[in-house]
Amino acid sequence: MPQPDTGEQFDTHEGTLERYDPQTIEPRWQSYWQEHGTYQVDNDDPRPRAYVLSMYPYPSGAAHMGHVRNYTFGDLLTRYRTMQGEAVLSPMGFDSFGLPAENAAIRTGRHPRGFTDERIEELRSSITRIGGVYDWRREVRSHDPAYIHWTQWIFLRLFAAGLAYRGHATVNWDPVDQTVLANEQVLADGTAERSGAVVEQRDLEQWFLRITDYAEQLLDDLDGLEWPERVVIQQRNWIGRSEGVEFEMAIVDADGSHRSDLPDGTAVRVFTTRVDTSFGMTFCVLAPEHPLVARIVAEEYAEQVEAFVARARHTSEVDRLAVEGELSTRGCPTGAWALNPFTGRAVPIYLADYVLGSYGTGAVMAVPGEDQRDWDFADAFGLEIIETVQRPDGFEGQAYTGDGPHVNSPAATEEQDATCNLNGLGVAEAKRVATDHLVAHGLGESVVNYRLRDWLVSRQRFWGCPIPILYCDSCGVVPVPLDELPVLAPDDVEFTPTGQSPLQSHEGFLNATCPECGGPARRETDTLDTFVDSSWYFLRFCDPWSSAAPFRREAVESWMPVDQYIGGAEHAVLHLMYARFMTKALSDLGVTTPDLREPFKRLFTQGMIRLDGTKMSKSKGNLVAPEEIIDTLGADTLRLGHLSVKPPEEDVDWEAVGLEGCSRFLNRVWRLALPASTEWNRHAGPADDSLTRATHRLIADVTAAFDRWSYHVAIARCMAFVNDLQREARSDTGVSQESFDHAVDTLLLLLAPTAPHIAAELWERRHRGEHIHELAWPEADPTLLVEAMTTLVVQVDGKVRDRLDVPADADEATCTAAALASDKVVALLGGTEPARVIARPPKVVNIVTGAAS
RNA sequence: GCCCGGGUGGCGGAAUGGCAGACGCGGCGGACUCAAAAUCCGCUGUCCGCAAGGGCGUGUGGGUUCGACUCCCACCCCGGGCACCA
């Protein structure tokens, strides 16, 4: 039994209790955890392993509230699971390449490294002051030469495997940040996710990673992840799997005969998901950039088509997406015809800007009867509409996309009937028959298309990982030899206001020797998207000391996959998709193990912090500075504020965070737990049964709430417990010393993950130097969770009319008898017999009178 | 348009078919104090009532059930995602 410690560790002046002062206790414990390596884990740790990871931050200087929220969840989980006996890998690092530092360099002329290093130190200090505990020995920074080395090594492995390639494509150009962007970095409205600039389209030669090779796996493996459904759906949407059929349509004359000006077999390939509606195809549409356009266009339309194609090319993606435009101006006839293989009839070929050259085959068959967009186009150009699916009764729309029996297919001739008759079939069955028909006649085949495009990774920026590639006049594209890595950007660079990367004009960097022929070569000046850095950092954390490889395979095997990943939902598609791709690719390349297919087993996405409805993030600055709150109320109060305000996955308005209540609560805990406190009426008598039971109930409730991430409920339970305990310990009867101490100690253990500093301080004072975070999480005694008496709710016709105390093990007869004996029930029944009595002992008895019905 | 969330006091929210509103904020009243702060005690969904007590109440309308914030159907509103992807 711990005795109240009135020793030398602190002073109590006569009658004055030492005040709770987070300013003195918080730094003390932060140093303690760091110096004692409380949260350092080694790769040969014998305890069961857990990997808890918060997304590593871009170093933007002092932490903002979003960081606080993010890292509080990760930190409490690390502490909680450690108390549960696990070796928790809890690393931290910095995503330290990126444009803010480069833009600052352009503004000030100062090298981004110094700027970045300073901000890393500021952020590290902030994170420490929140009480976040990490194994800092494992820190990684994207801009460290060692990290650059292995990022480049990975890139070269991907290159050797054909997963990194240089290709020509129409790409997104950000005129403000002066670089190309990946599709994922462009918002739906055509603006850049980072800079907000309207993105332009440019045809450029760029570096890509072949993420599309993994489209199917990226989709299928989503099923095995314990991720928020919302994020899984976003990834599914982004991958955009679409099953359909591709088939060829011969280019013919209007009467269906061979076109003598074209070589035999000239055909356009179309992709459709509705091959069952092919009999309703009345025209066909090509993307303006379709390679066949110039060859098939009829002479009398040549000028018109040329103008249309030129306009489409110069129209930005934004405008092309502006649906409001007149449909008739968005399409253009070509005068060419294609043969519908189902009907044997020729249909006119049109161009339309809404058909994308980069999706499917860049050409579609148009079935206005069953596709609204085709209907609109047919309407605008006066084209024929054939319905091929029977409309349900009362259908009033135009195109019909629902199910129903097929009609009008085939079109009348007996000859067609014999090969492919869809009439009467439902959509699914008709698709099967039509597909079989095409395949049997060698006209087409089933295909799966994805919306996902390859990941564009080159950036025309200085402050990123250089792409380790050389261009030699005689040997072409040559990878930098592995033993020459890392390729580092030079320090003697000048940043010009034009925004152009200084690498592009730095002779010392540009000129190199071709490792293959020994001749002169030019260095690649583009750097990698910073999402490449962050697509493997979680692997490096497993073994950041490795110098012969990015990490040792055994180390990764022993920690991966991440058990709990924590971060913002804004990365739902970007970072999380890239990291999944990289994990699969590295597994296939043998860099990791064959069974490591997914990096993050469980994902938690916490809500954003808003102030006056606006997002508080790195781009909007520190609208409320966490440091100011730490300086006044303390980090523990700030942590509790974040935890108690709302369910963690929801967005939070800063105004809703109740810091005062949390601060008051911690002050109460302080006075309750301070050994010298004389405020409480404690006696030496036997243990107080009801308090002991309440304490065990608290353990059970808080643990259950933790396990379902209901931290706001866990804290509410602790607050209620403190209120009750205070009331009892202030009463004339008081509480037993033994039960009181058990209650307070338990409370401190339960608060150790959420309010770590105050819990550590009070525990040390109560237990002469013991360290709470090295102790085990308390366990509730199940026998004490069973109450002797319980409240029986008595309902009459479903309405609560009385509450009775009954033994917890009361049987049905007892409960029913007690309920029927209740004065209120007797009065309500007024002597009549109840029609029915439903008893669910010992919780509820519902008495049904005949009167209600 | 499609897909996901969500709608409960003045506010944030709690309640996994069985006591709606735990806990916190705010508000009102009181104790302590010369006074204030801090702390403590009480009240605080709404309507009727002097009171005892009762009516109503979880976006709307139906349904299932002895019993619905909870399950089912339809709808309205808010937030987010996707959207010429053929």
Side-chain angles (χ1 to χ4, degrees):
Chain A
M1 177 56 41
Q3 293 303 307
D5 181 354
T6 51
E8 58 293 327
Q9 288 184 5
F10 64 100
D11 296 327
T12 49
H13 308 292
E14 293 290 336
T16 325
L17 203 59
E18 187 189 357
R19 225 168 36 86
Y20 167 49
D21 180 20
Q23 267 27 273
T24 54
I25 66 173
E26 290 182 353
R28 184 175 157 236
W29 285 102
Q30 286 156 14
S31 308
Y32 176 88
W33 297 318
Q34 179 57 31
E35 282 157 21
H36 287 76
T38 314
Y39 291 94
Q40 291 178 3
V41 290
D42 293 318
N43 286 356
D44 57 0
D45 195 300
R47 292 172 291 176
R49 282 145 197 269
Y51 189 172
V52 173
L53 183 63
S54 297
M55 289 180 184
Y56 78 158
Y58 178 80
S60 52
H64 56 70
M65 281 301 173
H67 288 125
V68 175
R69 195 165 173 75
N70 195 180
Y71 298 129
T72 297
F73 291 123
D75 182 66
L76 83 85
L77 202 60
T78 297
R79 294 174 184 273
Y80 174 52
R81 295 185 73 151
T82 300
M83 289 177 83
Q84 288 180 318
E86 292 179 297
V88 181
L89 176 59
S90 166
M92 181 51 72
F94 300 94
D95 187 15
S96 51
F97 273 135
L99 269 168
E102 185 165 349
N103 287 337
I106 292 166
R107 237 175 12 251
T108 63
R110 190 174 164 214
H111 196 282
R113 186 182 299 111
F115 178 89
T116 300
D117 287 341
E118 281 168 19
R119 268 151 190 76
I120 285 176
E121 289 320 313
E122 281 177 49
L123 186 50
R124 187 209 313 282
S125 154
S126 275
I127 290 173
T128 302
R129 294 196 63 205
I130 298 162
V133 282
Y134 303 97
D135 186 348
W136 284 109
R137 301 171 306 167
R138 295 172 184 264
E139 175 182 347
V140 304
R141 306 163 170 223
S142 310
H143 77 292
D144 269 350
Y147 196 81
I148 292 172
H149 182 152
W150 298 113
T151 303
Q152 291 175 338
W153 184 92
I154 287 169
F155 178 85
L156 291 177
R157 287 295 300 265
L158 294 172
F159 178 73
L163 288 170
Y165 67 95
R166 192 165 163 78
H168 193 86
T170 305
V171 298
N172 307 297
W173 173 263
D174 182 330
V176 169
D177 282 344
Q178 301 241 352
T179 181
V180 297
L181 297 173
N183 288 336
E184 290 78 9
Q185 289 165 314
V186 180
L187 303 179
D189 65 358
T191 61
E193 184 249 353
R194 215 202 71 81
S195 72
V198 174
V199 169
E200 298 167 6
Q201 303 300 300
R202 291 198 180 177
D203 283 331
L204 293 169
E205 182 104 347
Q206 296 290 321
W207 285 96
F208 292 88
L209 298 187
R210 221 176 275 284
I211 193 170
T212 52
D213 274 13
Y214 287 86
E216 192 165 354
Q217 286 187 47
L218 286 167
L219 191 67
D220 292 348
D221 291 348
L222 285 170
D223 294 336
L225 299 177
E226 294 171 55
W227 283 20
E229 195 191 4
R230 183 170 32 102
V231 176
V232 170
I233 288 168
Q234 279 187 58
Q235 294 227 344
R236 267 200 200 110
N237 286 343
W238 189 260
I239 295 167
R241 185 179 200 272
S242 166
E243 271 180 47
V245 172
E246 279 184 18
F247 61 87
E248 304 243 318
M249 294 172 62
I251 306 296
V252 293
D253 276 329
D255 59 2
S257 62
H258 177 71
R259 237 176 90 166
S260 51
D261 61 325
L262 291 172
D264 277 359
T266 302
V268 60
R269 200 171 178 82
V270 295
F271 172 70
T272 179
T273 56
R274 287 298 304 274
V275 67
D276 59 301
T277 64
S278 298
F279 286 97
M281 182 202 327
T282 53
F283 58 103
C284 155
V285 188
L286 270 51
E289 54 268 59
H290 196 285
L292 223 48
V293 172
R295 286 164 54 203
I296 62 169
V297 63
E299 212 168 311
E300 63 268 37
Y301 288 100
E303 206 172 312
Q304 195 182 338
V305 163
E306 202 176 311
F308 180 80
V309 170
R311 187 155 52 87
R313 280 203 158 265
H314 291 112
T315 309
S316 72
E317 190 82 0
V318 199
D319 294 334
R320 247 170 101 158
L321 289 176
V323 189
E324 310 309 323
E326 258 314 296
L327 245 190
S328 55
T329 67
R330 303 187 59 198
C332 171
T334 63
W337 299 76
L339 197 67
N340 180 344
F342 286 86
T343 61
R345 282 171 55 193
V347 296
I349 299 175
Y350 281 74
L351 304 184
D353 61 4
Y354 65 75
V355 174
L356 308 175
S358 51
Y359 183 79
T361 60
V364 300
M365 68 173 204
V367 184
E370 280 77 37
D371 182 299
Q372 188 60 42
R373 187 193 42 206
D374 292 343
W375 177 291
D376 294 339
F377 194 87
D379 198 41
F381 286 88
L383 296 157
E384 190 186 1
I385 295 167
I386 300 171
E387 299 181 354
T388 64
V389 181
Q390 178 84 57
R391 270 52 172 170
D393 287 344
F395 179 77
E396 284 172 2
Q398 299 173 321
Y400 174 67
T401 55
D403 203 355
H406 272 269
V407 294
N408 292 331
S409 41
T413 77
E414 266 179 44
E415 185 196 339
Q416 292 292 335
D417 241 20
T419 36
C420 182
N421 187 348
L422 306 180
N423 281 346
L425 302 179
V427 168
E429 182 64 15
K431 275 186 189 176
R432 236 183 331 270
V433 172
T435 305
D436 290 347
H437 171 78
L438 286 172
V439 172
H441 291 79
L443 296 167
E445 60 274 320
S446 296
V447 291
V448 175
N449 264 313
Y450 295 92
R451 199 181 86 109
L452 184 72
R453 310 292 162 75
D454 276 341
W455 175 15
L456 170 51
V457 293
S458 41
R459 298 287 180 275
Q460 290 69 52
R461 303 308 330 159
F462 172 81
W463 193 234
C465 177
I467 296 175
I469 290 289
L470 300 168
Y471 299 98
C472 168
D473 285 342
S474 34
C475 308
V477 176
V478 181
V480 171
L482 294 180
D483 60 8
E484 287 178 24
L485 296 182
V487 174
L488 299 175
D491 283 346
D492 57 332
V493 287
E494 266 189 57
F495 293 90
T496 58
T498 63
Q500 199 194 49
S501 164
L503 292 180
Q504 290 169 23
S505 52
H506 190 286
E507 290 300 320
F509 180 76
L510 279 172
N511 296 321
T513 305
C514 173
E516 287 183 12
C517 68
R522 193 170 41 81
R523 225 175 258 290
E524 171 64 79
T525 57
D526 282 358
T527 53
L528 289 169
D529 182 2
T530 57
F531 280 111
V532 177
D533 304 317
S534 57
S535 66
W536 75 281
Y537 78 105
F538 44 89
L539 298 169
R540 179 73 176 174
F541 276 146
C542 300
D543 189 22
W545 306 283
S546 171
S547 56
F551 38 76
R552 278 165 301 174
R553 207 182 310 182
E554 319 84 75
V556 164
E557 203 170 3
S558 71
W559 291 111
M560 287 293 290
V562 172
D563 294 280
Q564 183 66 63
Y565 198 33
I566 300 160
E570 67 272 20
H571 291 110
V573 172
L574 291 153
H575 162 61
L576 291 169
M577 184 79 82
Y578 297 145
R580 294 181 63 220
F581 157 69
M582 191 64 89
T583 300
K584 290 176 192 303
L586 292 178
S587 171
D588 285 342
L589 293 177
V591 180
T592 65
T593 51
D595 57 327
L596 183 60
R597 305 305 297 176
E598 285 290 337
F600 314 123
K601 197 160 73 184
R602 257 185 301 276
L603 172 70
F604 186 83
T605 52
Q606 89 280 10
M608 284 185 315
I609 303 280
R610 295 171 189 282
L611 185 66
D612 297 329
T614 36
K615 184 179 161 193
M616 216 195 274
S617 69
K618 63 189 172 196
S619 53
K620 297 289 190 306
N622 277 322
L623 300 175
V624 176
E627 302 259 350
E628 284 172 23
I629 291 159
I630 295 173
D631 287 342
T632 52
L633 297 171
D636 284 336
T637 293
L638 181 59
R639 290 165 66 111
L640 284 192
H642 275 282
L643 293 173
S644 63
V645 61
K646 258 193 174 193
E649 67 276 11
E650 283 176 36
D651 288 351
V652 170
D653 284 317
W654 175 251
E655 292 85 345
V657 175
L659 290 178
E660 295 84 355
C662 295
S663 179
R664 276 203 272 267
F665 168 66
L666 289 182
N667 272 289
R668 264 179 229 152
V669 171
W670 180 261
R671 288 197 306 276
L672 208 48
L674 212 55
S677 182
T678 52
E679 199 177 340
W680 316 110
N681 183 7
R682 287 162 289 183
H683 57 71
D688 190 327
D689 188 56
S690 75
L691 178 53
T692 306
R693 284 172 183 278
T695 304
H696 280 267
R697 169 55 55 196
L698 181 71
I699 297 172
D701 288 356
V702 169
T703 306
F706 266 45
D707 290 340
R708 53 175 221 268
W709 287 69
S710 291
Y711 300 112
H712 59 313
V713 178
I715 290 163
R717 288 288 293 111
C718 290
M719 287 176 168
F721 182 77
V722 165
N723 292 347
D724 293 345
L725 182 56
Q726 271 193 336
R727 194 173 300 113
E728 275 188 66
R730 248 196 288 265
S731 69
D732 292 341
T733 40
V735 292
S736 105
Q737 177 78 54
E738 184 186 341
S739 304
F740 180 86
D741 284 334
H742 176 241
V744 171
D745 284 343
T746 301
L747 177 72
L748 292 178
L749 286 165
L750 297 176
L751 288 174
T754 49
H757 309 89
I758 190 173
E761 180 75 19
L762 287 169
W763 191 274
E764 188 196 39
R765 292 183 184 211
R766 292 169 63 82
H767 297 281
R768 295 187 173 275
E770 267 184 39
H771 295 294
I772 195 169
H773 293 100
E774 291 162 10
L775 302 177
W777 187 253
E779 271 185 57
D781 178 346
T783 63
L784 292 175
L785 297 178
V786 184
E787 298 290 333
M789 296 294 283
T790 188
T791 302
L792 175 73
V793 172
V794 181
Q795 300 177 335
V796 175
D797 291 329
K799 292 192 176 176
V800 178
R801 295 300 179 178
D802 205 358
R803 298 181 174 104
L804 305 170
D805 283 336
V806 297
D809 59 357
D811 62 9
E812 181 165 342
T814 313
C815 290
T816 305
L820 288 172
S822 152
D823 292 348
K824 303 215 171 122
V825 171
V826 169
L828 277 159
L829 284 177
T832 60
E833 282 297 305
R836 200 176 158 191
V837 178
I838 293 104
R840 290 286 177 276
K843 299 180 85 171
V844 67
V845 172
N846 188 12
I847 296 158
V848 185
T849 67
S853 54

